[in-house]
Amino acid sequence: MVKLFKPPKKNTKGHKPYKKVLTVDTLDHKGQGVSRGKDVTFIAGALPGERCEVLITEMKKGVATGALKQVIEAHPQRCQPQCEHYSQCGGCHLQHVADTKAIALKQQAIHDQLTRKLQLPDLPWQTPIVGEAWGYRRKARLAVDTRHGDCHIGFRDEKNRVFTINQCPIMSPKLEALIKPLQHWIPLLRAKRAVGHISLLDVEPQVTVVLRLTKPLQLNDKLSCQQFEREHSCRILVEDNDGKFEPVSFSSSMCQYTLLGFDYQFSADDFIQVNGAINQRMVAQAIDWLQLTANDKVLDLYCGIGNFSLPVAQKGCSVKGIEGVAEMVAKATFNAEQNASHLATKDISFVQDNLNVEGSLARLLNDTRQTFNKVLLDPARAGAYEIMPQLNAHPMDAVVYVSCNPATFVR
């Protein structure tokens, strides 16, 4: 038997906790084990086929939440999590199973959602895009808690409390190497209580540390920042209450990454794919599935800073990127202009529009008086519920939907 997770000390939903032995049937899209009996029970940390002792902590209309107390019969590929903070952090979901099996379990969870909720037949799954299991994350955020005289720098647990971390093996090695130095340095700042959180980016021109401050940086602390930059070969940006970024030493606050020969500039708070290697393969795969020709007219919805748009335009087709955030549209336009010599077409443009409004796509098409025959969309976790019926009214030759949330994708 393997004891893994501590059950909560008290139940906040008015339900009296009780123990139960359950067999796990499947995983959901969040990586939780699902036991389907009289009640459907969700159990974080449990794997399909396992027999577990579970503390039922919440019950509502036939759906229960259980805390895993111990595994009585374990999955054959259950393993020891590599991160010492795994059971406390909650940022990763499947470190307790071998890497190769984790991909299959995730795919099965999505398959179950699609087949159960949409009554689809067997799906034509393609070979998954895989990369390194560790050290891949190029962007991360550390929480800071300086209350009660202590300084905790790390992540938040399930009760939203900040706990100090010693490692994060999914961060890139350059970012993970900054954890301990930051924990030693931040308490030395006079403005330590003004630090809200710390963002880390492993991108060009240098590894970047972003301090979110609630008050301006004073001279002594600025000098301390410059010393930290020199000692750890990084640059520090200060983010103020208005969301503006000010470099401590360098001339620019912009960041940059390279994708398929294109250089993308972005701000530290802009969305980028956190796994750079997978991003390269994902964009290449999307372009392959679109089967682009010079005659195609492509809509790139939720285009961001142009992550997909520029490689699509490299194929010589017309590209129109749509994004809801005006600042991102400006950066996408800038990136297209800066990379113009690498593009096979000049017919690439970006506009700002709220795609989460009924009729937005029809209005856009009427305003631009353009027709499109292929579409790529990469929405946020909330999905693209409002835009899908509008796409149905404008049939396309090909649609590639990039989703980071299986639940909203299925919806």
Side-chain angles (χ1 to χ4, degrees), residues 199-394:
S199 296
L200 305 175
L201 296 97
D202 185 1
V203 291
E204 298 298 331
Q206 282 183 298
V207 170
T208 299
V209 176
V210 182
L211 302 181
R212 172 69 175 89
L213 295 179
T214 57
K215 64 180 183 181
L217 201 65
Q218 300 302 310
L219 178 59
N220 285 348
D221 282 346
K222 186 173 182 178
L223 293 174
S224 180
C225 287
Q226 292 170 344
Q227 182 179 351
F228 189 91
E229 289 177 326
R230 291 190 296 270
E231 290 178 355
H232 300 284
S233 300
C234 67
R235 67 168 182 164
I236 295 177
L237 304 179
V238 174
E239 181 185 4
D240 63 20
N241 288 326
D242 297 323
K244 295 180 180 179
F245 297 91
E246 185 71 29
V248 170
S249 302
F250 293 78
S251 59
S252 173
S253 64
M254 297 300 290
C255 303
Q256 179 176 302
Y257 69 87
T258 300
L259 167 68
L260 301 178
F262 297 104
D263 294 326
Y264 292 81
Q265 290 204 16
F266 65 98
S267 295
D269 59 340
D270 288 337
F271 171 81
I272 63 168
Q273 298 288 344
V274 298
N275 189 323
I278 291 295
N279 187 42
Q280 299 260 352
R281 298 168 198 168
M282 179 176 66
V283 172
Q285 180 66 84
I287 289 173
D288 180 61
W289 281 342
L290 284 170
Q291 298 182 1
L292 298 168
T293 71
N295 295 324
D296 286 325
K297 296 184 182 298
V298 182
L299 263 179
D300 182 5
L301 305 180
Y302 311 93
C303 66
I305 63 172
N307 187 64
F308 287 94
S309 309
L310 272 60
V312 168
Q314 194 177 29
K315 298 298 181 180
C317 49
S318 170
V319 182
K320 173 73 74 174
I322 317 298
E323 168 60 44
V325 181
E327 292 81 0
M328 301 281 270
V329 171
K331 293 188 184 77
T333 302
F334 176 84
N335 287 328
E337 293 171 349
Q338 293 296 108
N339 289 277
S341 61
H342 301 303
L343 297 175
T345 179
K346 293 183 178 180
D347 191 5
I348 177 172
S349 60
F350 301 90
V351 296
Q352 189 269 331
D353 207 311
N354 183 2
L355 294 170
N356 298 321
V357 175
E358 185 177 351
S360 57
L361 182 61
R363 183 185 68 254
L364 176 70
L365 295 177
N366 288 334
D367 290 347
T368 59
R369 297 182 181 180
Q370 289 180 277
T371 58
F372 299 89
N373 68 314
K374 295 181 179 179
V375 63
L376 184 146
L377 61 157
D378 181 14
R381 295 187 63 83
Y385 188 74
E386 293 80 6
I387 205 69
M388 298 312 292
Q390 300 178 57
L391 282 179
N392 287 337
H394 300 275

Side-chain angles (χ1 to χ4, degrees), residues 72-221:
I72 301 170
E73 296 176 9
H75 190 286
Q77 290 187 280
R78 176 178 281 278
C79 63
Q80 182 67 26
Q82 181 164 324
C83 181
E84 65 182 272
H85 306 296
Y86 178 59
S87 63
Q88 188 178 11
C89 172
C92 301
H93 300 300
L94 288 175
Q95 281 192 21
H96 55 287
V97 66
D99 301 338
T100 53
K101 186 61 178 177
I103 295 292
L105 289 174
K106 290 178 180 180
Q107 179 171 300
Q108 186 62 47
I110 300 172
H111 182 277
D112 291 346
Q113 283 223 358
L114 288 167
T115 53
R116 185 174 68 254
K117 294 187 177 181
L118 301 180
Q119 289 79 51
L120 294 177
D122 288 340
L123 301 170
W125 286 99
Q126 307 300 297
T127 303
I129 300 172
V130 297
E132 296 295 330
W134 309 103
Y136 62 83
R137 192 175 182 94
R138 60 181 177 178
K139 187 175 184 180
R141 174 178 289 186
L142 300 176
V144 179
D145 185 356
T146 55
R147 297 174 298 174
H148 313 300
D150 297 322
C151 183
H152 296 285
I153 298 176
F155 297 134
R156 294 185 181 274
D157 62 18
E158 62 181 11
K159 295 184 179 180
N160 204 35
R161 297 173 301 195
V162 178
F163 64 94
T164 298
I165 63 172
N166 298 313
Q167 62 169 173
C168 179
I170 66 169
M171 284 188 194
S172 76
K174 290 181 180 179
L175 298 189
E176 189 180 31
L178 286 173
I179 292 174
K180 287 293 186 181
L182 285 168
Q183 290 170 343
H184 173 74
W185 173 60
I186 293 295
L188 302 179
L189 295 176
R190 292 186 177 183
K192 64 180 180 180
R193 296 188 182 279
V195 181
H197 60 253
I198 304 169
S199 296
L200 305 175
L201 296 97
D202 185 1
V203 291
E204 298 298 331
Q206 282 183 298
V207 170
T208 299
V209 176
V210 182
L211 302 181
R212 172 69 175 89
L213 295 179
T214 57
K215 64 180 183 181
L217 201 65
Q218 300 302 310
L219 178 59
N220 285 348
D221 282 346

